Amino acid sequence: MTNTFYYKGWLLFVFLSSLVHAQLPSVSFETITIQDGLPSNTTYFATQDKQGFMWFGTRTCPTRYDGSTFRSFLTPETNLVTGIAADSQNTIWISSDRNGICQIKSNSMNMQSLYKPGHTPSGPQSGSFFIDSYGKGWYSDMQGINQMDLTTHKTKYYPLRQTNYVWIKASFLEDSQHTLWAICTDNGLFRYDRNKDTFVCVLGADSKVPGRSDPIVFTKGCVDSKGMLWLGSENRGLIQYNPHTNTYQTFQDMNRPLAITCVREGFDENNQRILWVGTHERLWVYRPEQQKFYDFTNLFPDAYNVYYIFREKTNGIVWVCTSEGILKYHPQSNLIHKVQLPVNLLQFSVTVNVITPDQRDSTGQSFWLGLSRQGLLHWNRKSGQFKHIHFPQNLHQAEITWIDQRPDGILWIGVNRWDYKRGGLFVYDPGSDRFLDTPLARSTIPFYSVSFFMYGFFDKSQRLWIGNSDEGIHVLDTKTTRDVTPWSKVAQQQFQHNSNLINDLYQDRQGRVWLATYQGLYLADEKQKRFVSLDSIAIKNNPGFDQTVNSIYEDHQGHIWAARWGSITETDSKGNLLTLLTSKDGLYDRENNGIAEDTLGNIWIGNFEGLHCYNPFTKRIIRFTINDGLSQNNTLRRVFTTPNKKELLIGQKNGFDIVNVSNLMKKPVLPTLAISSFQVHDKVLQTDFTQPIKLERHDNAFTVNFVALNYTKLQNNQYAYLLEGFEEKWHQSGSAHVAYYTNLDPGSYTLRLKAGDAFGNWNPHITSIHITILPAFYETWWFRIMMAVAILTLLYALYHYRVQQILQLQHVRNRISADLHDEIGSSLSGISIMGMMVKQNLQNPAVSSPFLDKMMEEVHRISSSMDDIVWSINPHNDELSILVSRMVRYASELLEARNINYHIQVPDSIENLKLEMEKRRDFYLIFKEAINNLVKYAHCSHARITITVNHHQLQMLIEDNGIGFDPASHQDRNGLRNLQKRAENLKGALSIRSALGQGTTIRLQFPVIH
């Protein structure tokens, strides 16, 4: 009875799994709606321009998409954009409902309407704009077909037979022979005869060919890679037309007729040719080799109309235009293949905990799947068949934690029994399709109080190792079934003291057993009967480091990788730390559990927030999530590889994911960059980016939006930028693709932009924008020259004015000097002569003679002072050499008159020194006063006068050997005060050193300028 049940169940599940495998391609779609910036969910058309931007015709307006943002063109009003095409100059041509044909030139990005009233019989309504290989534009209206010269904008009209159909009449195709085809709704399929410049109906209501006038209502079509035309229809399903033989076939769904709105050739995840088919309700695929249709039922909550399907030739991206938004399928985003367990295969929802190859299958195409409950599955990958194996007594509450298949094909299965009954080790014989009751399995029953057999394996000595996180490890001899555990129960209890739970057991290629515990990584030393900690000092002493190890893996070099809380570590066999990875390196969640290595040497890590891949060569971590095709982000402890390690198998809920490492890691087509927008102070600047951009001084803040037009997930692209002339290092901006600069100085700059993929591969092509910040008028060279000339002119004017002032002052000084000499000097001389004459003629000289002598002396003194004033005023006497000569002459006359020996020393090179009039006067009067005092009061026999110039300082020293005096007792004398005052006027210093009987020394020092 039981065998019959298994046999019938087997056939049922084979049928179901084959059915699931045969129908829909395993692809995932992204939806793009108004929430993402699309101007309207109703999207009629899609195409790609020469730069790689996507353009969509919506119910509202045309819009451009760069993979991140939309740029909509709202004026002039268009509505119902059903056709967009880009010509060789990348000018965008648009057929619209409100303003006829419009164009957007790439250098201005402004839309303008070319419609003129009376231009077409049916008014501004136009659609399905198409550019053929000859550079001619084609579009349709409600009455016929129009041809447009894209240079002159002249059109030629081709009328169609009028029918009850009221809307745009035609859409266009061009086959591999450059033949133009017009698909004209209820008129038929027309071929354009270029020689006769006419359209000929080859199939449909207007066909003149016998047997070809079937009233087919055509929609849209495509040309496949074999040159066949595939045409959608409202009433005949899918139509294949062979332009070589002029024959056709129709294909319809067996269950119900399909009103097909559009069709496009493509390929599924296995590179099998399919046709993407749109209807008024949903998206379908048609498999030509099976001649069957399969539909996608849950892409949107409700039924939706598919208007157009566009497939990029370079990377195979499929864009589906619908009434609910845009569906996008990107092959690069579908490198992770999902395998769902067949519907109704299991009674309850399950998680695939363990995936291990069936050792009996030498092709590596068969696997055992350990489930979270309800037993295990056998999966034949080639046939897609699943076989469900129930545990004995229909045990459902047993969670499989490990599977070890012996060389004889027997499976040893460890489980956690959530019914808490004894017996956590099952033995299954695939050959007889039954579970075995073995003495070895029975001997394990008493080991644990709760039957949680969390880990286990057979070692190289054919011993069975089993373990439980808090009740320790047991090792059994498979022949005798005896417990041969090297460590006593007490030793294990001491090892597990302080909650040092054991999370995993792992046997390396040398047969050594490693333990993953809460307190780190340990090696089981059987000889010494102890557990050796192999966490290095570098790990133990790392502040804040969590030593807990969740799982262990040995790579091809024999290095041990440990998945821990908060980190991943790589150590050599002696425990020396080689690699430490944390959140700083790209781990998104602290919980890491499950490690595998692929054939390329990449380390794959199970994490609560996605599947992580570490490349030991580039030292980079890449994260894969549901956005990249994973069924769910949580991949903890469910990361496995195929026998050849070329694929990863990730256990998931009700299925598993297959990651083709070769496809994922193969050298990608590196993304190229395009400039989405250039904004100056938040205002978009329309310009040709191949030409230098010139900005005014006040426009020295700009933002550049740039993007890789590969339309992958944004986080799968990496960006960098550099502004030459401003900085030297590249900004590594990650997935952010905006460059912003402000307050730039005038000058020439070059903005360098580059893009790469998530694996660190950078496109060698660097996009450059040359930017010049123009200087303000006051920063220009001509303004600076003008200002320099103005300043020099002003300085020259000031200099000229100063010279004139000096010359005028000298003229005044000469005049005053002459006037004083001629007028006052002659008058004083006259007074002196008259005084002498009066004295000679006095009758009583004894009485008047002293008064006359006094008068004569004062006149002589005034005359002498007047002579000094006249001399000092005269500008010809400004040179210091002239002053010194006068001083020498004056001193010589006085000293010789008193018979005083003297020595005068003056510098030789003072010709170029000049003193201002006031300074010259003060200097001379200090000298004169000092000499007069020396002659009158010193009673000396020798005097020495020294004048020197050193370091722009003039020094004068007057020394005598006279009787001297006490300077302190003469501070109130006017003469000394005058000397000090004049020294201050000179900004100099005057010192007098004297003592009774020791002579006197006067020292003067003040600054002079050459």
Side-chain angles (χ1 to χ4, degrees), residues 650-700:
I650 314 298
Q652 298 285 13
K653 185 176 181 179
N654 296 324
F656 52 94
D657 298 332
I658 303 176
V659 181
N660 188 310
V661 176
S662 299
N663 288 341
L664 201 63
M665 298 297 180
K666 70 181 180 181
K667 189 174 181 179
V669 178
L670 297 175
T672 56
L673 270 180
I675 310 300
S676 292
S677 67
F678 190 102
Q679 297 178 337
V680 178
H681 297 308
D682 297 328
K683 183 178 180 181
V684 177
L685 176 68
Q686 304 297 348
T687 185
D688 182 359
F689 295 113
T690 62
Q691 301 298 319
I693 299 174
K694 293 184 178 181
L695 302 176
E696 296 296 333
R697 182 68 171 91
H698 57 273
D699 291 334
N700 62 347

Side-chain angles (χ1 to χ4, degrees), residues 571-623:
T571 60
D572 61 17
S573 60
K574 297 180 180 179
N576 297 314
L577 182 64
L578 304 177
T579 302
L580 173 62
L581 306 175
T582 65
S583 59
K584 295 180 180 179
D585 302 289
L587 295 176
Y588 269 71
D589 191 80
R590 283 186 50 78
E591 188 174 5
N592 303 290
N593 197 340
I595 303 179
E597 182 185 29
D598 64 29
T599 186
L600 301 176
N602 298 302
I603 301 298
W604 296 84
I605 304 156
N607 183 280
F608 189 80
E609 289 296 339
L611 179 65
H612 292 64
C613 175
Y614 173 68
N615 187 319
F617 307 102
T618 64
K619 310 296 183 184
R620 288 172 54 90
I621 289 180
I622 304 167
R623 173 175 169 249

Side-chain angles (χ1 to χ4, degrees), residues 710-779:
N710 56 358
Y711 301 99
T712 61
K713 302 291 184 181
L714 291 180
Q715 64 269 24
N716 289 346
N717 290 327
Q718 303 292 316
Y719 298 95
Y721 59 91
L722 165 72
L723 185 62
E724 289 184 359
F726 177 74
E727 56 198 353
E728 296 181 356
K729 294 184 178 179
W730 285 85
H731 290 276
Q732 304 292 335
S733 58
S735 59
H737 45 94
V738 177
Y740 174 73
Y741 292 94
T742 184
N743 294 329
L744 293 174
D745 293 330
S748 295
Y749 304 91
T750 301
L751 181 61
R752 308 287 189 188
L753 309 168
K754 64 179 180 179
D757 61 18
F759 300 95
N761 302 306
W762 291 93
N763 194 321
H765 175 71
I766 296 176
T767 300
S768 299
I769 305 176
H770 300 285
I771 304 166
T772 299
I773 306 293
L774 299 175
F777 74 91
Y778 52 84
E779 295 174 316

